[in-house]
Amino acid sequence: MQSSEIRNLFLEYFVSHGHELVKSSPLIPKDDPSLLFTNAGMVQFKRVFLGEEQKPYSRATSCQKCMRAGGKHSDLENVGFTARHHTFFEMLGNFSFGDYFKREAIVFAWELLTEHFKLPKEKLWVSIYKDDDEAAYIWEKEIGIPSDKIVRLGEKDNFWQMGDTGPCGPCSEIIIDQGEDFGCGKPDCSVGCDCDRFLELWNLVFMQYNKDEEGKLTALPKPSIDTGMGLERITAVLQGKKTNFDTDLFQPIISEVCSVLNVSYGKERKTDISIKVIADHIRASTFLIAEGLIPSNEGRGYVLRRIIRRALRHIKLLQYDRVAFYKFVEPVIVTLGTVYPEIVSERKRIEKVIKVEEERFLRSLERAQQIFDGILENLKKSGSKVLPGEEIFRLYDTFGLPFDLIKEMAEDSCLELDEIGFHRQLNKQRERARAASKAQEIGVDEVYKELRSGAYEFKFTGYTDYEAETNIHSIVKNGKTVKILEKGEEGEVFLYETPFYAESGGQVGDTGIIISGSGKAEVFDTKKIAGLHCHKVRVIEGNITEGDKVFAKIDIERRKAIARNHTATHLLHTALRAVLGEHVKQAGSLVAPDRLRFDFTHFDALSDTELQEIESIVNEKIVENLPVIVEIKSLNEALNEGVIALFEDKYEDTVRVVKILGFSKELCGGTHCKSTGEIGSFYIVSEGSVASGIRRVEAVTGLHAFEYANRYREQIRNISQILKSAEPVQAVERLISELKAKQQEIEALKEKLISQNIDEFVKQAREIDGVKALAIKLEGVDTKSLRTLSDKLRERLHPAVILVASKTDGQGILLLSVTKDATAKYDAGKLLKNITQAVGGKGGGRADSAQGGCPDAASIDKAVEVFYELIKK
C-alpha cells in the first residue's frame, strides 16, 4: 500500500464516521507566537480544547505537517541514527471536542488498524495509564485484547498534559511487535524498550481533567479526544520496511541523493546515516522555506540554518565539495507536491534560498579551513596535539561550523579536542547573551530605579491629547536628582502625566515644550528609561523646579508627520505581503517625521514592477481614506482575529490593535492618523539589502513626498537642458551606447598593443634553475588586460613563473601565474603572499594563479625585485 493510499484511507475512514476533514495548518503557527513550530495535530485546535474557541463541528480529522527541531520537542540530533526519528513528518489524527470519548476512540482505532489496514491482531499490544481501569476494561472486554498484552505505565509514558496547568488526561498507545529481528536482543526487551521491536503506532489521548496550579485534577464537563499516528511509521509497517527511510516517502529522495553524490545506500552504516540525514533535512528545509522562513542567526531562522548546515556537513562527509543540497528539492516535490501544493508554487524560491545558503557555507568553510591550517601550523611549532577550546569556539561561532565537523577536521589532523575549554567558551557566550538581554536593566542608573520603585504613578495621555497640565515629579542631571534647572542647563524631567510619546517600536520620541510659572524648557527628545517617560530638556527661559505645575505640549506638526509615516508602514507591510507573499515579516523599522524605513524578510531584490505595484497599493488605500481604528483587547482575542504578531516579540495579556479598516490589522503601541487620507501621498525612495534574507524599503509621505517629487522633477528638467533633448531617457541611452562602443574599441586597441609586444616580453624571461622567470611592469593597464597578457605569456613560456604588474588609479595590481609543469616547485598563492607582505600589500590565490595589490608605483618596483629574489632561492 502506497503512502498516498494510507493517508487517504485514514482520512476517508474518519470522514465516513462524521468527522470534518480539516486542512493541515502551517508549520509556523500564525496565531501562537509562543510556539516555535507546529509539532502535533492538536496545535491548530489548542484554543478549542482550552474552551476559548468553538468550531462548527465537534469531530475532526487531519493530516498535519509537523516539525520537531528546536524548542522543547526536538528530534534533530537523532535523525539518521534511528529508524523512526524525523525533523519534518506528517501526523494523522482524529479529534473529538466534547463529542465521543474513550470507547469510540478505541473502537475507531482498532477497526481502522485491523480491518482496513489489515494489521495482524496477535501482533498488537496496548499501553494504558496505570490507574485507567476504564480503558483497560474497554480494551480487554470489548475489543478482546488479552490482559497480558495490556501494559500499565506511569505518568511519564501514559499521562498527557498540554502544559503545567490546563486540560490533561491519560493516554493509550497502540503498539506493534515487529519481531526479534527489530529488537535489541536483551532478555528483558518488552513494551517500553527503546529499540524498534515494540513500535508505538498510535497515541490516543483522553482529555478528561483540568489541572490547577496546585496539581489538583478536576473532571472536565466535556471530555475530549486527541489522537496522533505518524504517517511515516504506519507506512513503514504496512510496506514491511525496517525503517521509515525505506518507504516510498523517502526512496525517491534517497535515490536522487545517491545519484548526485555518487554513493550507494544500504551497504555501509556510516554512509547510510549521512544519506538519511540529507533526505530528512531536505524535506524539513523545503517545507519551512515554502512558508517564508529564511536562514538566519536567531529564532526559527536559526533552526532552519542549523538543519541545512547539518545536511551540508553530511554531504561533505560523503566526499562531495560542491553545491548539491538544493538539487534534492525536486524529489520532495514529486513525493509530496500533490498533497501540499505550496511547495510546488514556491519551488524556485526554495531552491534559490538553499543554494545561496550552501554557497555561503562553502565560502565560510573555505575561510575556516585557512584559519584551521594556520592553527595547525602553530600547534606543530609548539608540539601540541590538542586543539584549544578557544579555537574550536572561534571556528564554531565565527564561521558557523558544526562542532562535529570541527571534530572531524581535528581527527583528520591527528588532534585531540579540548571539549571542556570549548564548552567553557560556549557557556561564556551564553552568559554574555543573558547579560545582553538584561543590558537595558543593568545599564539603568540607580536614580532611575529609585524613581520607578517609588509611589510614582505615571500616565501617558498622548494617544488622545497633544498637551497636558501636570506636575514635575523629579529632575535628573548627570545621573543625580536635582531640585532645579536654570536657563541654559540640560537635564531629564519626569512628569506625572505626559502627552509626549517615548521612543519605542521604531517610532522616534516626541519633542515640544514644558512651561512653568518661572520658566520654559525645550523638550528635544523623549526616551523610555526603566519603563518611565524621560523628557530630555534644555531650559530656554528662567528655570524649572521639582514640583512645579507645568503645561506640557508636543510639537503637533512633527507628531502628525510621524503618524503619517507610522500608518504608512502598516499599509506598506500589508502591500508587501500582497505582492511578494505571506512569508514577508517585519524585521525592523524607523518611523521619523521626515521618512520611514521598513525592514522585512525576503530573499530577492524587488523588481521595478513590484515596487510600482506596492507603491500603487499604498496610494490607493490613501485615496480611499480608510478609517484607522484602535482597539484594546486580550492577546488571545487579537490573535484569533488574525492580527499580525511577531514570534520574537513578547506581548502583554492586553494588547493594542491598530486596524486600517478592511486592509490591515497589527499589534502596535505607536501613534497613527485617524484615517489613511491624512497621509497625503507615499513614495518609495529606495530598496536594498541590509542582511542575508532581509530587505529594506525607505519611503516618504505627506509634504516630504511632495518635496521628493519636486526634487526628482527638477533633476529631470536639468538633465533635459544639459542634453538639449525633450526625451532625456532616450538621449542618455544613446550616450551610454556610444560610450560602450568607444570603451570596447579602447580595450581592443590595448589588447592589440599588448599582443604586439609579446615577442619582446618573452625575450626578457630569465632562466633560473631550469624555470623561466619573467616580471613585467606596465602603466594604466586594467586587471582584465593583465590577465589576457598573463595567459598569452603562459602559452609561450614553459616551465615558467610569470609576474605582470601595472599602476592603475594610484595603486599597483599584481598577477602571478605558474605554468602547470612548474607548480611542483612553485606555488603562485604563497609566492604572491610573500611578495605583497614585503611591499605592504595583500594578495594570495591558488597554486597556479594568484592576484594582489600594492600601494603605489614604487612598491611595484620593489615587488619585482622580491619576485626574482624568491625565484632564485
Side-chain angles (χ1 to χ4, degrees):
M1 189 180 291
Q2 296 295 297
S3 57
S4 57
E5 296 175 277
I6 296 167
R7 186 190 295 110
N8 291 337
L9 196 156
F10 180 96
L11 297 173
E12 289 167 2
Y13 172 83
F14 281 103
V15 168
S16 71
H17 286 81
H19 292 66
E20 181 78 11
L21 177 58
V22 180
K23 184 182 177 182
S24 171
S25 63
L27 285 171
I28 301 173
K30 294 188 181 299
D31 59 353
D32 193 347
S34 66
L35 196 60
L36 193 64
F37 298 115
T38 298
N39 54 27
M42 57 75 55
V43 168
Q44 68 170 308
F45 304 116
K46 182 177 176 181
R47 291 192 173 87
V48 180
F49 287 127
L50 288 170
E52 298 172 354
E53 180 184 351
Q54 283 192 333
K55 296 287 186 183
Y57 46 83
S58 59
R59 300 181 177 195
T61 185
S62 70
C63 182
Q64 174 65 50
K65 298 182 292 184
C66 293
M67 184 70 60
R68 292 187 181 175
K72 184 178 179 181
H73 301 285
S74 178
D75 289 329
L76 183 61
E77 299 302 331
N78 292 321
V79 172
F81 295 92
T82 71
R84 62 184 186 274
H85 284 104
H86 304 289
T87 50
F88 171 85
F89 64 97
E90 297 177 79
M91 181 75 83
L92 299 165
N94 60 291
F95 310 90
S96 166
F97 313 119
D99 187 349
Y100 60 81
F101 197 46
K102 290 184 185 178
R103 183 184 179 280
E104 293 88 341
I106 289 171
V107 169
F108 284 149
W110 186 256
E111 182 180 279
L112 181 57
L113 288 179
T114 60
E115 295 183 21
H116 294 267
F117 287 148
K118 307 294 184 183
L119 291 180
K121 296 178 181 179
E122 65 275 10
K123 291 187 177 182
L124 297 178
W125 293 59
V126 295
S127 68
I128 60 171
Y129 181 55
K130 60 185 179 63
D131 298 331
D132 193 354
D133 294 332
E134 182 185 1
Y137 179 86
I138 296 170
W139 279 117
E140 183 179 358
K141 303 301 181 184
E142 297 189 36
I143 301 301
I145 297 281
S147 59
D148 61 350
K149 285 193 172 183
I150 301 172
V151 182
R152 292 178 183 258
L153 297 174
E155 193 167 316
K156 177 179 176 291
D157 296 294
N158 279 76
F159 194 92
W160 182 92
Q161 55 191 69
M162 187 176 291
D164 294 332
T165 60
C168 57
C171 60
S172 180
E173 296 177 347
I174 303 174
I175 297 154
I176 186 166
D177 180 358
Q178 299 195 94
E180 293 181 0
D181 289 346
F182 288 79
C184 56
K186 296 177 182 177
D188 59 346
C189 181
S190 61
V191 172
C193 183
D194 287 336
C195 73
D196 293 324
R197 175 174 177 174
F198 293 94
L199 182 69
E200 174 204 333
L201 286 180
W202 204 342
N203 189 15
L204 316 178
V205 179
F206 312 130
M207 284 195 284
Q208 62 188 105
Y209 301 110
N210 186 58
K211 188 177 183 180
D212 62 22
E213 292 178 354
E214 297 177 357
K216 183 181 177 183
L217 299 177
T218 306
L220 290 171
K222 288 186 176 181
S224 297
I225 291 294
D226 160 30
T227 86
M229 176 165 60
L231 175 64
E232 289 76 9
R233 287 195 187 185
I234 186 63
T235 300
V237 169
L238 293 175
Q239 292 182 358
K241 304 298 183 182
K242 266 207 160 187
T243 79
N244 296 356
F245 294 95
D246 298 321
T247 68
D248 66 330
L249 286 164
F250 284 94
Q251 280 302 300
I253 305 170
I254 287 174
S255 176
E256 185 67 12
V257 170
C258 292
S259 174
V260 171
L261 304 184
N262 194 27
V263 292
S264 298
Y265 178 69
K267 292 184 179 180
E268 186 182 342
R269 184 176 183 274
K270 190 175 179 181
T271 300
D272 286 354
I273 288 171
S274 292
I275 293 171
K276 289 175 185 177
V277 168
I278 296 163
D280 173 273
H281 289 10
I282 192 61
R283 297 201 328 159
S285 303
T286 296
F287 277 88
L288 288 174
I289 296 168
E291 292 192 13
L293 198 61
I294 292 172
S296 68
N297 290 327
E298 58 186 9
R300 293 169 174 141
Y302 176 71
V303 177
L304 173 58
R305 172 160 285 168
R306 190 178 172 206
I307 289 170
I308 292 174
R309 291 195 169 185
R310 188 168 185 261
L312 298 182
R313 173 186 171 265
H314 281 275
I315 290 174
K316 186 179 184 300
L317 286 176
L318 296 175
Q319 307 301 314
Y320 197 88
D321 295 320
R322 300 186 300 280
V323 292
F325 193 49
Y326 78 98
K327 296 178 181 178
F328 309 135
V329 172
E330 171 63 22
V332 176
I333 290 173
V334 169
T335 55
L336 294 171
T338 304
V339 186
Y340 304 105
E342 62 268 27
I343 65 174
V344 180
S345 59
E346 292 290 329
R347 172 182 174 171
K348 287 185 178 178
R349 196 175 64 82
I350 295 166
E351 290 177 337
K352 182 170 184 179
V353 170
I354 292 175
K355 188 176 182 183
V356 169
E357 182 68 12
E358 280 191 89
E359 291 168 344
R360 180 179 290 113
F361 181 66
L362 289 175
R363 287 195 298 271
S364 294
L365 195 59
E366 188 176 335
R367 292 196 299 272
Q369 186 65 55
Q370 293 173 355
I371 298 297
F372 184 80
D373 290 343
I375 296 168
L376 190 61
E377 194 170 326
N378 291 333
L379 290 175
K380 285 179 180 177
K381 290 177 182 177
S382 66
S384 175
K385 291 287 186 179
V386 178
L387 184 61
E390 294 86 351
E391 299 293 3
I392 300 171
F393 181 75
R394 181 156 68 115
L395 293 167
Y396 171 86
D397 187 56
T398 304
F399 298 100
L401 299 191
F403 176 78
D404 39 14
L405 177 55
I406 300 169
K407 187 175 182 180
E408 178 204 342
M409 291 165 69
E411 288 173 350
D412 288 346
S413 301
C414 300
L415 293 177
E416 295 178 13
L417 271 75
D418 175 18
E419 292 193 36
I420 294 174
F422 166 71
H423 288 292
R424 188 185 302 119
Q425 293 296 320
L426 195 60
N427 288 333
K428 282 182 182 179
Q429 185 200 48
R430 288 169 180 162
E431 286 299 324
R432 288 193 295 270
R434 279 193 285 267
S437 68
K438 297 179 181 178
Q440 186 175 0
E441 180 64 23
I442 292 170
V444 172
D445 293 339
E446 288 300 321
V447 63
Y448 304 115
K449 293 180 182 178
E450 288 176 13
L451 289 177
R452 187 180 61 188
S453 62
Y456 174 33
E457 289 188 15
F458 159 78
K459 185 179 180 183
F460 172 62
T461 61
Y463 287 134
T464 54
D465 301 323
Y466 292 145
E467 57 190 51
E469 290 188 357
T470 183
N471 290 81
I472 295 178
H473 173 274
S474 52
I475 302 172
V476 174
K477 181 182 179 183
N478 297 328
K480 296 180 180 179
T481 55
V482 295
K483 296 294 183 183
I484 190 169
L485 284 178
E486 300 286 354
K487 182 178 178 180
E489 287 188 304
E490 292 186 3
E492 297 162 349
V493 171
F494 295 85
L495 305 174
Y496 283 98
E497 189 175 279
T498 181
F500 286 80
Y501 182 87
E503 181 180 337
S504 178
Q507 180 175 326
V508 298
D510 279 332
T511 61
I513 56 168
I514 295 175
I515 303 173
S516 71
S518 58
K520 181 178 181 181
E522 171 196 5
V523 180
F524 58 85
D525 200 2
T526 310
K527 301 278 189 183
K528 267 189 183 176
I529 299 180
L532 305 174
H533 275 50
C534 169
H535 307 79
K536 294 185 175 292
V537 305
R538 183 183 301 110
V539 180
I540 53 178
E541 291 179 16
N543 60 60
I544 57 172
T545 307
E546 180 186 305
D548 276 354
K549 184 174 182 179
V550 297
F551 172 73
K553 183 179 180 180
I554 67 170
D555 182 333
I556 298 173
E557 291 308 312
R558 183 176 181 274
R559 163 73 80 80
K560 286 181 176 179
I562 293 169
R564 283 192 286 270
N565 283 327
H566 204 154
T567 303
T569 63
H570 285 222
L571 292 175
L572 173 61
H573 192 182
T574 303
L576 285 164
R577 288 165 66 87
V579 174
L580 305 177
E582 291 195 0
H583 64 275
V584 168
K585 299 286 189 300
Q586 181 176 339
S589 68
L590 170 69
V591 180
D594 59 334
R595 71 192 192 285
L596 67 89
R597 187 178 72 213
F598 191 80
D599 297 345
F600 57 97
T601 55
H602 188 61
F603 213 83
D604 296 317
L606 275 62
S607 67
D608 290 341
T609 301
E610 288 170 332
L611 287 170
Q612 288 171 12
E613 187 177 355
I614 291 161
E615 194 174 75
S616 294
I617 290 172
V618 174
N619 281 304
E620 283 170 10
K621 297 306 171 185
I622 291 171
V623 172
E624 289 176 23
N625 197 26
L626 302 173
V628 179
I629 301 165
V630 176
E631 297 175 343
I632 307 298
K633 53 183 60 183
S634 73
L635 176 61
N636 285 338
E637 188 180 357
L639 293 174
N640 279 335
E641 291 181 3
V643 172
I644 293 177
L646 303 179
F647 170 74
E648 290 80 7
D649 283 0
K650 302 298 180 186
Y651 299 102
E652 301 294 331
D653 291 336
T654 301
V655 294
R656 189 169 181 265
V657 179
V658 176
K659 295 182 179 180
I660 298 174
L661 198 63
F663 187 69
S664 167
K665 289 185 287 187
E666 294 192 35
L667 300 184
C668 181
T671 61
H672 288 271
C673 302
K674 292 181 180 177
S675 65
T676 58
E678 294 179 19
I679 298 171
S681 60
F682 173 89
Y683 282 98
I684 292 175
V685 176
S686 66
E687 186 276 335
S689 172
V690 290
S692 175
I694 305 294
R695 308 296 300 180
R696 171 175 291 173
V697 164
E698 296 198 28
V700 287
T701 64
L703 293 176
H704 292 286
F706 288 118
E707 290 170 4
Y708 172 78
N710 284 334
R711 286 197 304 272
Y712 194 87
R713 186 164 49 237
E714 186 63 26
Q715 288 174 359
I716 296 297
R717 187 182 298 117
N718 290 339
I719 291 170
S720 295
Q721 290 174 353
I722 292 168
L723 297 173
K724 295 181 172 56
S725 171
E727 301 290 344
V729 175
Q730 289 88 332
V732 170
E733 287 175 345
R734 186 172 59 253
L735 281 174
I736 290 172
S737 179
E738 291 173 0
L739 185 62
K740 283 182 179 178
K742 295 293 184 186
Q743 190 66 38
Q744 288 172 357
E745 188 177 336
I746 292 169
E747 293 297 328
L749 288 170
K750 279 183 181 180
E751 289 193 14
K752 186 177 180 181
L753 185 61
I754 289 171
S755 297
Q756 287 175 347
N757 292 325
I758 286 290
D759 291 339
E760 187 62 34
F761 292 147
V762 169
K763 291 177 183 177
Q764 296 174 23
R766 304 179 188 178
E767 186 83 26
I768 300 175
D769 196 19
V771 174
K772 291 174 182 175
L774 175 62
I776 296 171
K777 294 181 292 182
L778 299 170
E779 184 84 20
V781 179
D782 60 22
T783 305
K784 182 181 176 184
S785 298
L786 284 179
R787 190 167 285 114
T788 301
L789 173 59
S790 179
D791 290 342
K792 289 182 179 296
L793 289 170
R794 279 203 290 187
E795 291 173 4
R796 298 282 299 275
L797 296 168
H798 286 280
V801 183
I802 303 161
L803 176 69
V804 291
S806 174
K807 184 185 175 186
T808 305
D809 298 327
Q811 293 183 329
I813 304 171
L814 303 174
L815 262 69
L816 196 150
S817 59
V818 178
T819 57
K820 286 186 179 180
D821 47 7
T823 52
K825 190 171 184 179
Y826 298 103
D827 184 299
K830 290 180 180 178
L831 274 174
L832 190 65
K833 188 174 182 181
N834 290 331
I835 292 169
T836 53
Q837 283 178 348
V839 300
K842 290 183 179 179
R846 303 190 309 268
D848 62 338
S849 178
Q851 181 177 332
C854 54
D856 49 37
S859 57
I860 288 178
D861 292 336
K862 176 67 174 174
V864 171
E865 291 176 18
V866 174
F867 168 75
Y868 283 119
E869 288 172 6
L870 291 172
I871 300 302
K872 288 176 183 177
K873 287 183 178 179

